[in-house]
């Protein structure tokens, strides 16, 4: 009884506090954005605005996405639940047609029920609307995706409108800005592979974005990341991407200035990350580090001692919802999905701002099912600082290709060089890229590029067993429907062996 | 202009006709029901009511489902579109969570917009509600599935209510009855593997269905179909299924009697079929003939000369919507899905009741993507009277097992016999069952059990090429997102080759 009274007093106190407008949240989410920033060590790119944010943030050197695919990743940000639990198994738009379970309690719904004003400006890309309902929405459902996601002047004005309305509102706010850059461009080449000509003021017929001063790069003027072939095609592709990064970077600067101009800079928690890896092989849709790793920053006006610092602590996009609830001191609601009580398995990143954050920062999980609906390739991943274990459930099939990861200069160059037998200075081959072992275990200390699978190495037997156990416990806790596959069939809570236990006559079932 | 005037006159005439109440439709849809009926040549089963319906129907010896899976199949019945076009790629319930596109024009929506009363009694199992909206619904969404789908007395009363209300309604009606028998039972064994004890009056605690007089069978008293092992386990499994068939059969009799008592027998078109094959290996979820073939009857009060006859003409569940629209003389609406205009590719079965039905009755197509969401195994099929071609897109993976197809006496017996090396009198092996070639071509005349894949046989080169061309044309016409896989990537309307055209370094990519 005493505990209940205490809690009530505490909640009342806290609401008083919040109604002063002292705690808001701004989420800045990039689209296919990677580590091409000065603050992440890139020597070639010019990213003054993101770098400035880093100077007032704690920067995670080990930030990760829960799933390297657009709609799925956004659903994790907005639910705190892995995709196998929230139902957004793949992309939401068009024929892909995936959407979360109707009963999911999303961040905007929870916040709204606690008197917090919510807004989404930019790319949304999750379904259904009833689950992902913000009070203010300026999204691709109403505007063209380029306008709402790449026209940083257009976006800035809507950010200003939202913030001005918040000044006249006693409620705190959570504003989520989904920048569509640096996603590849869907408009058939006219705007460039990365829409880098969209509004650049020099390409005829592509308009002008007044706030954007494009930074232009030559193919010599880029860093080719270790996981891409250093070829002219890739360098040109990256140079185009870099130009689009400048629009992203300047957008971040604009939006943060709006926050400051509106007087919210000193009471707003800013979270900065991206949905998935850059749109290149081994990155986007993959859960190798180039796909799983994300830039990740948290800027708290109340923990300025952490500003400009970096940390090795591991953060996940699954932590964003717990962080925001913690910031607002809101309890996650009690409810069930498909008959199982839902528990958050992420952690509040606010703990990373204080001493002794604890063992929750020593590992992250990822879970992927689809990107496009034609791309069935479930993966379950546990990553610690030193080791990564990937479980590929449909490993017999080739790794599937997203359309934007296929029809681009870098990948077509890889295809053509492979076919013609020309030199291909790449850390892998198409064959290895397509065909993966069921279990992949990498020692990230000795093998940071994830080249040597140690899953069958006797000296790693204890390591893999322990990681499998930890991974499986998480899959049970998050009610993963796929958790018995490919070796078994889930019925109730039991895995029944399939395929005769891999015995007689099951030659192809490794 | 003249054409428009003619059409208007015609429509007006037809509405006058329909408003006399002279044309109604009753659809009787079984669940996992196969050919275990006297009218289909089964010598052991007692099925007087279905046999009586056959005596007033044209019976199709070559009836087929478009997809051998519950929700997908029902979506095809109710949309006339294959699953890859209507979006109901797999099961609708729980974690599987598939549903048709919001824009789909379903049978009940089209009929309602033309002033026809629609009702659904029994199993529904398709989503979303806005697409599959009947005026009257008595389904598992309101009642337990066993009550609404297997308690034939309960169902009969709701059928009576619907028909009585129709007597007091000037509109014609379409009533769809989704009988849940003979689906396996989900309630953990207490009611038997086929819920054969549910309401049988002799099993304690399982209630009584007043209208059901159970027919009981011994294991000796069944016909083991060619595609199942003739073992004691299978025979007992079949005997239990036969008992459940008697509930199904008597339900059909009850509902038809209600139709007669209500005075609608002489103006109601009755369509009888099932969603997919019986719940045994090689049948349900498969598109071998035991999975693709369905009992199929059409009873027209206006074509009594066809009563009691059988036909070799090929019918598909995809034809049901065109048949019903033809019966009511309604045009299919003009609209698009995912940017492509929608055209029906099924045919009206009313043409089978008249002379010279035409070449549309010479072939059927099937299209499967998922059953459960964990069971990704897209298949595309073209079947003529003499040949069948199956394209397995995820052929490298083992054929996936549905939970009800795994945890049953017949399949566990197969598993155990395979493991122990005991005799297994089966037409295939587990290895062959699980691992299938990408292309499977069967000569159904010389090889009706689909045992010999002729896809690579030189003498069938022209046949397979021609069938592939016809199949592909249908996939383009129905806007199949999967149509380039596994060898290519669809972008716009073009298939781009994947995997380097199967050349260098692609050893595992057959």
């Amino acid at each position: 009884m005493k505990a209940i009274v205490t809690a009530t007093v505490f909640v009342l106190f806290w609401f008083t506090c919040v109604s002063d407008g002292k705690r808001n949240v701004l989420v800045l989410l990039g689209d296919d954005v990677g580590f091409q920033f000065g603050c992440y060590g890139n020597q070639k790119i010019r990213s003054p605005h993101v770098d400035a944010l880093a100077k007032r943030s704690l920067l995670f050197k080990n930030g990760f996405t829960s799933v390297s695919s657009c709609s799925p990743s956004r659903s994790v940000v907005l639910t705190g639940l892995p995709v196998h639990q929230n139902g957004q198994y793949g992309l939401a738009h068009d024929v892909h047609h995936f959407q979360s379970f109707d009963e999911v309690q999303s961040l905007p719904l929870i916040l709204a029920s606690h008197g917090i004003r919510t807004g989404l400006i930019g790319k949304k890309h999750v379904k259904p609307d009833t689950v992902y309902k913000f009070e203010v929405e300026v999204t691709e459902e109403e505007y063209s995706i380029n306008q709402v996601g790449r026209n940083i002047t257009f976006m800035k004005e809507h950010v200003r409108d939202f913030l001005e309305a918040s000044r006249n509102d006693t409620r705190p706010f959570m504003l989520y800005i989904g920048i569509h850059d640096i996603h590849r461009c869907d408009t058939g080449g006219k705007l460039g592979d990365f829409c880098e000509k969209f509004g650049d003021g020099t390409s005829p017929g592509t308009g002008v974005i007044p706030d954007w001063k494009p930074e232009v790069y030559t193919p010599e003027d880029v860093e080719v990341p270790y996981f891409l072939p250093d070829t002219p095609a890739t360098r040109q592709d990256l140079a185009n991407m870099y130009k689009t990064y400048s629009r992203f970077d300047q957008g971040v600067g604009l939006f943060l200035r709006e926050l400051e101009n509106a007087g919210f800079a000193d009471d707003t928690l800013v979270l900065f990350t991206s949905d998935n890896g850059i749109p290149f092989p081994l990155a986007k849709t993959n859960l190798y580090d180039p796909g799983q790793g994300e830039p990740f920053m948290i800027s708290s006006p109340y923990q300025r001692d952490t500003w400009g610092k970096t940390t090795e602590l591991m953060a996940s996009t699954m932590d964003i919802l717990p962080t925001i609830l913690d910031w607002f001191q809101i309890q996650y609601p009690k409810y069930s999905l498909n008959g199982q009580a839902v528990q958050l398995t992420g952690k509040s990143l606010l703990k990373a701002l204080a001493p002794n954050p604890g063992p929750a920062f020593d590992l992250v999980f990822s879970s992927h099912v689809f990107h496009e609906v034609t791309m069935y390739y479930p993966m379950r991943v546990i990553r610690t600082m030193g080791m990564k274990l990937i479980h590929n459930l449909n490993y017999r099939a080739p790794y599937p290709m997203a359309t934007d990861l296929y029809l681009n200069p870098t990948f077509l160059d890889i295809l053509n060089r492979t076919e013609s037998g020309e030199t291909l200075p790449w850390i892998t081959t198409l064959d290895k890229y397509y065909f993966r072992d069921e279990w992949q275990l990498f020692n990230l200390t000795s093998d940071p590029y994830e080249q040597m699978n140690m899953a069958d190495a006797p000296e790693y037997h204890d390591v893999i067993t322990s990681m499998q156990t930890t991974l499986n416990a998480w899959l049970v806790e998050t009610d993963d429907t796929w958790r018995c596959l490919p070796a078994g069939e889930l019925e109730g809570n039991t895995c029944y062996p399939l395929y005769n236990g891999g015995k007689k006559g099951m030659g192809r079932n490794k």
Side-chain angles (χ1 to χ4, degrees), chain A residues 367-387:
Chain A
S367 170
H368 175 103
V369 189
F370 296 87
H371 180 64
E372 301 170 12
V373 68
T374 50
M375 295 171 59
Y376 180 77
Y377 205 85
M379 298 180 278
R380 300 295 182 266
V381 179
I382 174 172
R383 191 198 190 282
T384 65
M385 279 302 292
M387 299 295 300

Side-chain angles (χ1 to χ4, degrees), chain A residues 441 454-469:
Chain A
L441 180 70
M454 309 309 289
D456 291 331
E459 65 269 33
Y460 285 90
H461 176 264
D462 291 352
V463 170
I464 193 171
T465 304
S466 164
M467 291 179 83
Q468 284 171 327
T469 302

Side-chain angles (χ1 to χ4, degrees), chain A residues 169-351:
Chain A
D169 197 308
T170 56
R171 297 172 297 166
F173 68 80
M174 191 277 287
L175 175 61
Y176 167 113
I177 304 180
I179 309 171
H180 188 33
D181 287 325
I182 56 79
H183 196 286
R184 287 185 187 269
C185 204
D186 294 329
T187 44
K190 197 186 88 173
L191 298 176
D193 279 308
F194 285 90
C195 274
E196 69 274 9
K197 298 176 186 170
F198 174 65
D200 72 353
T202 59
S203 305
T206 67
V208 175
I209 298 172
D211 286 295
W212 181 31
K213 308 285 172 285
E215 300 274 352
V216 179
Y217 298 83
T218 65
E220 295 71 42
D221 207 20
V222 300
E223 289 183 4
V224 179
Y226 72 84
F227 56 91
L228 295 181
D230 191 347
T231 63
T234 300
R235 283 185 167 270
Q236 183 60 59
D237 212 14
L238 288 169
N240 295 337
M241 182 180 80
Y242 274 34
K243 181 175 168 191
T244 296
Y245 262 83
S246 78
R247 191 167 55 210
F248 175 87
D249 178 68
Q250 292 168 35
V252 168
L254 284 176
F255 309 147
L256 289 173
R257 186 174 319 150
E258 291 299 324
L259 192 75
E260 190 161 354
N261 292 347
F264 290 118
D266 290 338
D267 53 25
T268 299
L269 182 76
V270 179
L271 288 158
F272 173 97
T273 189
S274 175
D275 57 349
N276 49 249
I278 61 175
F280 288 87
L282 291 167
K284 182 177 179 179
T285 77
N286 288 264
L287 290 170
Y288 297 127
D289 266 12
Q292 193 185 19
E294 299 300 335
F296 214 120
M297 296 192 271
I298 180 168
S299 171
S300 166
Y302 300 136
Q303 275 98 347
R304 298 186 185 218
D305 57 311
T306 63
W307 286 14
K309 294 190 177 164
T310 63
T311 177
E312 298 283 340
L313 294 173
M314 298 178 79
S316 164
T317 50
M318 212 162 60
D319 302 333
I320 291 176
L321 180 139
T323 303
I324 294 173
L325 294 192
D326 189 23
W327 175 256
F328 287 123
Q329 301 206 24
I330 292 173
Q331 292 283 318
Y332 188 69
K334 290 193 191 311
Y335 70 105
S336 293
L337 286 174
N338 293 303
Q340 180 164 319
V342 179
Q343 307 279 354
L344 293 177
T345 59
K347 61 202 179 273
S348 169
L349 298 178
L350 298 184
K351 293 190 173 64

